Amino acid sequence: MKEIRYFYSPNASDLTELPSDEAQHAIRVLRLQVGDDIYLMDGQGMFYHAEVTLSVGKHCSYIIKEELPQTKTWLGRIHLAIAPTKMMDRMEWMLEKATEIGVDEVTMLLCQFSERKKIRTDRLDKIIVSAMKQSRKAWKPRLNDLTQFKDFIVQSRRGRKFIAHCYHDIEKVDLFEELQQVPQDEEITVLVGPEGDFSIDEVHFALEHGYESIALGSSRLRTETAGLMAVTMGQLSKRKL
Amino acid sequence: MKEIRYFYSPNASDLTELPSDEAQHAIRVLRLQVGDDIYLMDGQGMFYHAEVTLSVGKHCSYIIKEELPQTKTWLGRIHLAIAPTKMMDRMEWMLEKATEIGVDEVTMLLCQFSERKKIRTDRLDKIIVSAMKQSRKAWKPRLNDLTQFKDFIVQSRRGRKFIAHCYHDIEKVDLFEELQQVPQDEEITVLVGPEGDFSIDEVHFALEHGYESIALGSSRLRTETAGLMAVTMGQLSKRKL
């Protein structure tokens, strides 16, 4: 049986050929031929069953044979806002895994103790697309560019908002326990700090703006593990069974 | 404030100097001096507060000042048996993250569709030790060498046993749902297959030997993500709050 090929094409139904990077992969790596079946994902809930009609040079054209609307497997929205780690590979695998497990939106935060102050959003976006295709996610997680902590906090936001931190003298609730009390279809936003944690000023600023102080269990987790744990707790609380 | 230094020394209380690799790290990298405070972890539930008494060449001696018995943060035992991925770095980060999140035992499985047939247990063990130190785990996860699938299945084992697989025509229960019904202090063993899944024969063989057929949610997960999800589901079910 031939493996089913998935391609990401955000405007699949308006177009008749694959975006150039996907076309190159289709032609040079997969060596698709006229008549081959392909599947297109628009990242907005629709898959398309299509057939290759032309495969020449850098162009791969198709005709859509069937629309395949997908059903989201979880309710509400999961938004992770996280300070990127000094070592970018740790952030990259976190994004790959969060996409596989299921996340709706990720914002990279610039915090007081951030060691990394620049990110390449285009590179991270490619990792998300690759994980989305591999795990057949019908909705593409939205990735926001590096945002100043305080700018993020003052933005109006729906649903419940949480900040994970390591200060022992600020009372915390366990995120997973708390999520059992939150309606499944409610949006949640979880903040995870850099290696050196949020500053105490940042934590207070968030608490003053309606964020709830939380722990992600009792383990001492690295930034990227904490991010993934937050997404997993959200997912296990919001998934449809 | 000086950062607290943790060292792994499985026989800390019987010895008066650090194991050689830890000693080299202490002397060459951290440049510890006589009189410096250190913490020793024996990987069996005990931390020791100690003081450096000699730091010369490759030797770092200490005297123990205080025993600090630790409390385990979860009940029962979590055993993950997983076929190593073709790309070993994926297995390495899974082990790092599973150690951070909390796992008791990991067995590497050799399956019918395994693409990787050899592993370097010593290298993987170092990753576990590093993650254990970083996340301050008082118990070191046990890592077993590559084991033939059928040999593993026929071994007698306490507690509940689960096999995760992708065959749609074999009925499954969701692992996390099922774990809510299992007493917290019971041992669990979860099997995760290679990139090409377990063979249907392997799944039937496991079912005949008391394994229960499970899914890890509805997402299509890579092997290493499935392994981490199994550990996380176990941890969220067994942790003390």
Side-chain angles (χ1 to χ4, degrees), chain B residues 14-239:
Chain B
D14 297 337
L15 302 175
T16 56
E17 75 176 60
L18 290 178
S20 69
D21 47 342
E22 293 288 70
Q24 290 202 32
H25 184 68
I27 297 166
R28 293 196 194 167
V29 183
L30 305 173
R31 300 186 178 278
L32 293 190
Q33 310 281 333
V34 171
D36 279 349
D37 274 334
I38 57 174
Y39 285 82
L40 307 172
M41 326 169 89
D42 71 356
Q44 300 160 69
M46 187 69 86
F47 288 172
Y48 299 92
H49 177 196
E51 186 181 309
V52 175
T53 54
L54 179 80
S55 168
V56 170
K58 293 178 178 173
H59 299 277
C60 184
S61 303
Y62 57 78
I63 50 162
I64 288 172
K65 292 164 74 176
E66 200 182 352
E67 290 193 350
L68 304 164
Q70 301 296 301
T71 307
K72 210 173 161 208
T73 58
W74 68 95
L75 295 161
R77 290 187 90 247
I78 302 167
H79 184 171
L80 173 69
I82 186 167
T85 48
K86 192 174 169 191
M87 302 293 280
M88 208 54 202
D89 59 340
R90 295 187 167 269
M91 206 47 28
E92 289 175 4
W93 86 240
M94 194 280 295
L95 279 177
E96 178 184 299
K97 297 313 170 204
T99 302
E100 272 182 64
I101 289 166
V103 67
D104 295 281
E105 190 168 352
V106 179
T107 301
M108 294 288 164
L109 289 180
L110 187 59
C111 301
Q112 201 175 329
F113 298 150
S114 284
E115 292 192 71
R116 172 169 288 275
K117 299 185 194 309
K118 281 183 185 168
I119 54 162
R120 281 190 49 192
T121 312
D122 58 337
R123 185 183 153 96
L124 296 180
D125 206 62
K126 277 188 185 150
I127 288 165
I128 288 178
V129 168
S130 168
M132 180 189 77
K133 287 197 285 184
Q134 200 273 333
S135 65
R136 313 273 198 266
K137 286 284 182 292
W139 279 263
K140 179 176 175 288
R142 178 174 163 175
L143 176 67
N144 301 316
D145 211 344
L146 209 56
T147 305
Q148 288 278 356
F149 178 84
K150 290 199 172 176
D151 293 345
F152 185 87
I153 295 295
V154 298
Q155 284 166 15
S156 81
R157 214 166 288 289
R158 273 180 297 192
R160 297 279 290 271
K161 306 179 292 184
F162 305 97
I163 182 167
H165 63 86
C166 304
Y167 293 97
H168 293 293
D169 46 347
I170 300 177
E171 213 176 316
K172 290 174 215 175
V173 292
D174 179 81
L175 178 63
F176 193 61
E177 291 303 298
E178 196 60 24
L179 288 179
Q180 309 313 306
Q181 318 303 326
V182 176
Q184 272 201 306
D185 60 359
E186 201 156 336
E187 179 160 350
I188 60 164
T189 301
V190 186
L191 266 59
V192 171
E195 280 95 335
D197 206 351
F198 293 113
S199 72
I200 188 83
D201 286 351
E202 286 172 332
V203 175
H204 283 304
F205 190 78
L207 298 182
E208 285 158 17
H209 287 78
Y211 282 76
E212 301 169 58
S213 169
I214 51 124
L216 298 161
S218 60
S219 279
R220 191 173 185 267
L221 302 175
R222 283 176 178 272
T223 290
E224 72 277 10
T225 321
L228 198 63
M229 184 55 96
V231 168
T232 307
M233 286 177 168
Q235 188 58 232
L236 289 176
S237 307
K238 295 191 164 296
R239 64 193 185 144

Side-chain angles (χ1 to χ4, degrees), chain A residues 24-200:
Chain A
Q24 292 203 31
H25 183 67
I27 297 166
R28 294 197 192 166
V29 182
L30 304 174
R31 299 187 177 279
L32 292 190
Q33 310 281 336
V34 172
D36 280 349
D37 274 334
I38 57 174
Y39 285 82
L40 307 172
M41 326 169 89
D42 70 356
Q44 300 161 69
M46 187 68 86
F47 288 173
Y48 299 92
H49 177 195
E51 187 182 309
V52 175
T53 53
L54 179 80
S55 167
V56 169
K58 292 175 177 175
H59 299 276
C60 183
S61 303
Y62 57 79
I63 50 162
I64 288 173
K65 293 164 71 175
E66 198 180 356
E67 290 193 350
L68 303 163
Q70 302 295 301
T71 308
K72 209 172 162 206
T73 58
W74 68 95
L75 296 161
R77 291 187 91 247
I78 302 168
H79 184 171
L80 173 68
I82 187 168
T85 49
K86 192 174 167 190
M87 302 293 281
M88 209 54 202
D89 59 342
R90 295 187 167 270
M91 206 48 28
E92 289 174 5
W93 87 241
M94 194 281 295
L95 279 177
E96 178 185 299
K97 297 315 169 201
T99 302
E100 273 181 64
I101 289 166
V103 69
D104 295 281
E105 187 167 355
V106 179
T107 301
M108 295 288 164
L109 289 181
L110 187 58
C111 301
Q112 202 175 329
F113 298 151
S114 284
E115 292 192 69
R116 172 168 290 275
K117 299 185 194 308
K118 281 185 186 166
I119 55 163
R120 280 190 49 193
T121 312
D122 58 336
R123 185 182 153 95
L124 297 180
D125 205 62
K126 277 189 185 150
I127 288 166
I128 288 177
V129 167
S130 167
M132 180 190 77
K133 287 196 286 183
Q134 199 275 333
S135 65
R136 313 272 198 267
K137 287 284 181 290
W139 279 263
K140 178 174 175 289
R142 177 173 164 177
L143 176 67
N144 301 316
D145 211 344
L146 209 56
T147 305
Q148 287 279 357
F149 179 83
K150 291 198 171 178
D151 293 346
F152 185 86
I153 294 295
V154 299
Q155 283 166 14
S156 81
R157 212 165 289 291
R158 272 179 300 191
R160 298 278 290 270
K161 306 179 290 184
F162 305 97
I163 181 167
H165 63 85
C166 304
Y167 294 97
H168 293 295
D169 46 348
I170 299 176
E171 214 177 316
K172 290 173 216 176
V173 292
D174 180 80
L175 178 63
F176 193 60
E177 291 304 298
E178 197 60 24
L179 288 179
Q180 308 313 306
Q181 318 303 325
V182 175
Q184 272 201 306
D185 60 358
E186 200 155 338
E187 177 159 353
I188 59 164
T189 301
V190 186
L191 265 58
V192 171
E195 279 96 335
D197 205 353
F198 292 114
S199 72
I200 188 82

